[in-house]
Amino acid sequence: MSSVESQQEQSSQSDPSPSPNSCSSFELVDMDAGSLYEPVSPHWFYCKIIDSKETWIPFNSQDSQQLEETYSSGKDYNRIVPTDGGRYDVHLGERMRYAVYWDELASEVRRCTWFYKGDKDNKYIPYSESFSQVLEETYMLAVTLDEWKKKLESPNREIIILHNPKLMVHYQPVAGSDEWGSAPAEQGRPRTVKRGVENISVDIHCGEPLQIDHLVFVVHGIGPACDLRFRSIVQCVNDFRSVSLNLLQTHFKKAQENQQIGRVEFLPVNWHSPLHSTGVDVDLQRITLPSINRLRHFTNDTILDVFFYNSPTYCQTIVDTVASEMNRIYILFLQRNPNFKGSVSIAGHSLGSLILFDILTNQKDSLGDTDSEKDLPSIFMDQGDTPTLEEDLKKLQLSEFFSIFEKEKIDKEALTLCTDKDLQEMGIPLGPRKKILNYFRTRKNSMGVNRPTPQSPAGANMSNIPKESEFYSSTNGLDVGIGQVPVKYPRLIYKPEIFFAFGSPIGMFLTVRGLKRIDPNYRFPTCKGFFNIYHPFDPVAYRIEPMVVPGMEFEPMLIPHHKGRKRMHLELREGLTRMSMDLKNNLLGSLRMAWKSFTRAPYPALQASETAEETEAEPESNSEKPSDVNTEENPVPVKEEAPPIHVGMLNGGQRIDYVLQEKPIESFNEYLFALQSHLCYCLSQHQGLFQ
């Protein structure tokens, strides 16, 4: 303020005798000062480090207003204000913003009124709160006294000049000023200074609806990055949430305004960081070759996650992390949203969907309802034709001993109960005994199928949460018959409504594990629905329905475009396909008629040439016959109603496989967009299933 006062004194000394006009203007200012100067409207921002650069992002208008009201109350030092739909807490006294549900570096929060344009981009950067107050006071004096050309020096020795309300500039300090600390001069290209957030170009959203109808946990796939921009699971889930909110505004605006529906909350579940913090990266680094260092680091950090999941040691870490994180976040969410009465769903991308699938298939009822356990069919129905005892012995090259077992009336089931002493008494030598016992005991363990049971209903209150000792299903509940890693699968403390799998390799893993068919009557013990959603060019995605109904060939369900139609190139492709099929059918019909005319008996031809009228009418009749024959022999399948397809109870009797519509540019080269198609789900606008 001393610099401002000195500048005011200098201006008064330079003009000791003001003219009558200036006197009258001062009297005007004294009379209408309030109408000339209006206090600036502050807006709250937070700072994020993006690409090693500070970026200031505005809070939405709803959060900024709440922060300003708390700040204006004068009791802001120990106040904590929830923002961003309750996912972050702002500590006003510290001016810091903390994530609630996941680990993230705290970010600085600032009450912003004055801004200047950055060096390398057009984004505006807010001044500090203290210097903004100095600028505002200087601006107020300039407006009140109608004296401009005000020059101020920032704490960074930068020069700000207020020429007039529309022109205010910011100069960088002189590089390498002298040792005597001389005042910095104007240098370089000036940067624009703006007062008030309404004068800068920045997108400020209105805010999120307070009502939450649905909670979705999102589990990522391999590696720390979830898309081609190498963003984290938190950033990709933010895209999920943004797309969902946009669809809510465009498709359900009236229902939302009438508070008939609320929003969908997406929360990320991260298992990669806890897995790679176990020290395994150090062990891998010791044995990693020094060549092609970046590629090997990518392999260790990303691709090896698939192998980690197939290792009993690290698979236990992964499933423990996923289940415990979802349980922890669920408890915390209920504490922060005590009025939440909606349903909970889970979504997994790539390997994350397989992790959730294995967890869901191994859930058990908290009360141990044996009746419901008996009623629940097994998923594992058909693993191929079971070989006979004679075939097994032939496989072991021990066919000569089959007559001994046949004489003793021992089948495969009885053989698994035999001991080494029993086989010795039958006269079987030591070597064949060991082979037989090892083979059939291994087969017995691999064929043992245990079925999980339903869990407690969704929306259970805090008193229904199991104790820590009950978080794991017993070892007997594990299913190692289809190659699942023999680990203890944790229990979820809630009952998921829907399981969404994006770009999922579940079908491939089940097939590799030896499963050929899923029982049509099977359903998840604690989850009612299952949607397998994939991009048509996704190289990692596999279907599920052919494993439920292997005897039928049918297309997956096409997810409608968010505007309620098919993309134009898909409609054009289908039209051309139908046209080619029609031409093919008509051509075949014409050839059939020509062949019949050529090979039929001669008397019809004689009859056809009896009169001129019949001769003239014959071409018309012949032109109609091929179409008639085509209608009878080659019916157009488009006009027929497709029979209903029953794909089992895995999704409550509804379809399971759903395919997205590719973009027009993607259809030009499937291989070029293959990798991108596996990482496109967070930005896809086909999210009507969540609403």
Side-chain angles (χ1 to χ4, degrees):
M1 285 299 296
S2 59
S3 61
V4 177
E5 292 174 356
S6 61
Q7 293 169 7
Q8 185 176 353
E9 291 176 0
Q10 292 175 3
S11 61
S12 61
Q13 292 175 2
S14 61
D15 190 10
S17 57
S19 62
N21 292 333
S22 62
C23 287
S24 61
S25 63
F26 273 114
E27 292 175 359
L28 250 161
V29 168
D30 292 337
M31 292 169 53
D32 285 329
S35 61
L36 294 176
Y37 170 77
E38 293 183 0
V40 64
S41 298
H43 195 93
W44 291 76
F45 282 65
Y46 63 93
C47 182
K48 294 282 289 185
I49 305 298
I50 301 177
D51 297 332
S52 302
K53 183 177 65 175
E54 289 187 355
T55 302
W56 287 90
I57 304 173
F59 284 96
N60 61 61
S61 56
Q62 180 180 346
D63 291 340
S64 179
Q65 181 179 357
Q66 186 176 3
L67 288 168
E68 182 63 22
E69 290 176 356
T70 307
Y71 170 82
S72 301
S73 65
K75 301 178 181 179
D76 63 318
Y77 186 77
N78 295 321
R79 292 293 299 273
I80 298 177
V81 180
T83 61
D84 301 274
R87 296 180 298 276
Y88 289 89
D89 281 341
V90 172
H91 295 234
L92 276 180
E94 303 176 16
R95 291 293 196 273
M96 299 298 289
R97 173 177 176 263
Y98 298 92
V100 174
Y101 298 106
W102 55 83
D103 294 331
E104 183 180 310
L105 292 176
S107 53
E108 181 185 353
V109 174
R110 187 174 294 178
R111 182 176 181 265
C112 305
T113 53
W114 285 77
F115 307 84
Y116 66 93
K117 188 174 289 188
D119 290 329
K120 299 180 180 179
D121 51 25
N122 293 325
K123 294 182 179 180
Y124 282 87
I125 302 173
Y127 289 103
S128 65
E129 293 187 33
S130 57
F131 188 67
S132 294
Q133 186 175 359
V134 174
L135 285 170
E136 182 64 20
E137 292 174 352
T138 305
Y139 177 84
M140 181 183 65
L141 286 176
V143 172
T144 305
L145 302 176
D146 195 20
E147 294 181 357
W148 294 94
K149 300 288 184 179
K150 298 289 186 180
K151 182 182 294 187
L152 293 89
E153 181 180 345
S154 72
N156 298 329
R157 296 179 62 81
E158 298 175 341
I159 299 299
I160 296 91
I161 301 177
L162 309 183
H163 292 284
N164 56 60
K166 301 295 183 182
L167 179 60
M168 296 174 282
V169 293
H170 177 125
Y171 291 95
Q172 293 278 15
V174 178
S177 57
D178 55 28
E179 299 178 355
W180 302 98
S182 59
E186 302 173 11
Q187 180 194 19
R189 182 180 178 183
R191 291 183 285 180
T192 306
V193 176
K194 294 291 184 180
R195 174 180 179 265
V197 71
E198 63 274 3
N199 294 318
I200 65 174
S201 57
V202 61
D203 293 331
I204 300 177
H205 301 285
C206 297
E208 302 177 13
L210 298 178
Q211 179 183 348
I212 301 176
D213 288 347
H214 206 95
L215 173 64
V216 180
F217 294 112
V218 182
V219 181
H220 65 86
I222 61 174
C226 297
D227 63 0
L228 291 177
R229 289 182 284 175
F230 298 98
R231 297 185 304 166
S232 66
I233 177 63
V234 175
Q235 294 171 302
C236 290
V237 170
N238 289 341
D239 285 342
F240 257 116
R241 192 181 303 109
S242 299
V243 172
S244 176
L245 289 174
N246 290 337
L247 291 178
L248 199 64
Q249 287 289 331
T250 56
H251 292 66
F252 307 96
K253 185 175 182 179
K254 187 174 182 180
Q256 181 187 355
E257 291 176 352
N258 296 333
Q259 297 184 349
Q260 296 176 353
I261 61 172
R263 64 182 178 91
V264 181
E265 178 63 280
F266 295 86
L267 296 178
V269 177
N270 182 12
W271 55 265
H272 181 270
S273 299
L275 170 65
H276 288 263
S277 62
T278 58
V280 64
D281 288 350
V282 178
D283 298 335
L284 286 173
Q285 190 61 35
R286 289 200 300 264
I287 61 176
T288 301
L289 301 182
S291 59
I292 52 174
N293 183 48
R294 292 185 179 180
L295 180 58
R296 296 186 189 278
H297 175 74
F298 173 79
T299 302
N300 293 346
D301 201 34
T302 302
I303 300 178
L304 287 189
D305 286 348
V306 179
F307 299 94
F308 286 140
Y309 187 67
N310 287 280
S311 164
T313 301
Y314 297 107
C315 179
Q316 188 69 66
T317 302
I318 293 173
V319 296
D320 285 350
T321 302
V322 171
S324 62
E325 274 294 286
M326 289 196 295
N327 289 338
R328 179 189 67 83
I329 296 175
Y330 179 69
I331 294 174
L332 185 57
F333 179 82
L334 290 183
Q335 291 175 350
R336 297 177 64 90
N337 300 272
N339 297 325
F340 175 73
K341 298 180 181 179
S343 55
V344 183
S345 294
I346 55 179
H349 174 245
S350 189
L351 183 63
S353 63
L354 179 66
I355 298 171
L356 293 176
F357 183 88
D358 289 341
I359 291 177
L360 288 178
T361 55
N362 286 275
Q363 293 300 292
K364 301 187 75 174
D365 187 8
S366 59
L367 300 178
D369 189 355
T370 56
D371 294 335
S372 59
E373 182 177 358
K374 292 178 182 178
D375 295 337
L376 187 62
S378 171
I379 181 177
F380 316 115
M381 180 176 178
D382 186 3
Q383 299 185 20
D385 297 332
T386 304
T388 62
L389 176 59
E390 185 177 5
E391 292 173 345
D392 284 335
L393 292 175
K394 185 177 180 180
K395 183 179 179 180
L396 296 173
Q397 298 180 352
L398 300 174
S399 302
E400 63 271 19
F401 299 106
F402 176 69
S403 58
I404 298 177
F405 294 117
E406 190 177 21
K407 181 180 178 181
E408 297 291 337
K409 297 183 179 180
I410 294 179
D411 56 8
K412 294 177 65 173
E413 184 178 357
L415 185 56
T416 57
L417 302 175
C418 292
T419 62
D420 184 78
K421 185 177 180 180
D422 295 332
L423 299 183
Q424 184 179 5
E425 291 177 353
M426 296 181 195
I428 299 176
L430 177 62
R433 290 203 308 267
K434 296 299 183 182
K435 285 185 178 181
I436 293 172
L437 289 174
N438 179 68
Y439 178 79
F440 284 98
R441 284 176 180 173
T442 304
R443 294 282 294 179
K444 177 184 177 182
N445 292 334
S446 65
M447 294 300 293
V449 177
N450 299 281
R451 296 169 292 192
T453 55
Q455 198 181 347
S456 58
N461 54 30
M462 308 301 290
S463 61
N464 293 334
I465 296 177
K467 299 178 181 178
E468 184 177 359
S469 60
E470 299 175 348
F471 277 154
Y472 294 94
S473 59
S474 63
T475 308
N476 295 331
L478 304 178
D479 194 325
V480 296
I482 59 162
Q484 278 186 336
V485 182
V487 298
K488 293 183 177 180
Y489 286 92
R491 291 175 47 204
L492 302 178
I493 59 177
Y494 56 88
K495 182 179 178 181
E497 184 76 15
I498 303 292
F499 168 35
F500 297 95
F502 299 107
S504 173
I506 292 175
M508 180 270 291
F509 270 88
L510 293 180
T511 303
V512 171
R513 290 172 178 178
L515 180 66
K516 293 187 177 181
R517 186 181 179 190
I518 297 176
D519 188 344
N521 295 321
Y522 176 78
R523 64 185 184 276
F524 290 122
T526 60
C527 185
K528 296 179 181 179
F530 174 36
F531 290 92
N532 181 39
I533 303 171
Y534 59 90
H535 191 283
F537 304 153
D538 191 341
V540 182
Y542 290 82
R543 293 190 62 183
I544 297 294
E545 290 175 343
M547 300 189 69
V548 182
V549 192
M552 295 180 59
E553 292 186 4
F554 51 92
E555 295 295 324
M557 293 291 292
L558 185 68
I559 298 180
H561 194 267
H562 68 98
K563 293 183 179 179
R565 57 171 178 80
K566 291 183 181 179
R567 294 185 187 270
M568 184 176 297
H569 70 286
L570 295 179
E571 295 178 351
L572 180 61
R573 182 193 304 170
E574 291 182 1
L576 292 175
T577 302
R578 285 195 299 267
M579 184 184 300
S580 62
M581 291 299 297
D582 291 342
L583 291 174
K584 179 180 178 182
N585 292 335
N586 291 332
L587 179 60
L588 290 175
S590 300
L591 291 175
R592 287 193 186 97
M593 287 301 302
W595 177 254
K596 288 182 179 180
S597 300
F598 180 75
T599 58
R600 65 186 175 183
Y603 68 92
L606 294 175
Q607 294 176 355
S609 59
E610 288 179 356
T611 63
E613 295 179 359
E614 293 179 359
T615 305
E616 294 176 358
E618 185 176 0
E620 298 180 2
S621 62
N622 287 340
S623 64
E624 295 174 358
K625 286 180 179 178
S627 61
D628 296 338
V629 174
N630 181 36
T631 305
E632 295 176 0
E633 298 183 2
N634 299 288
V636 181
V638 179
K639 296 180 180 179
E640 294 183 356
E641 293 185 1
I645 301 174
H646 301 284
V647 291
M649 299 303 298
L650 196 56
N651 192 24
Q654 301 178 2
R655 295 292 299 273
I656 301 172
D657 293 336
Y658 289 80
V659 60
L660 298 173
Q661 300 182 32
E662 73 273 14
K663 297 178 181 178
I665 192 174
E666 294 174 343
S667 61
F668 286 106
N669 193 321
E670 299 178 1
Y671 296 93
L672 185 62
F673 294 94
L675 180 59
Q676 177 180 333
S677 64
H678 183 61
L679 304 171
C680 71
Y681 299 98
C682 63
L683 289 173
S684 175
Q685 292 185 327
H686 300 79
Q687 294 190 25
L689 294 172
F690 290 115
Q691 302 300 337

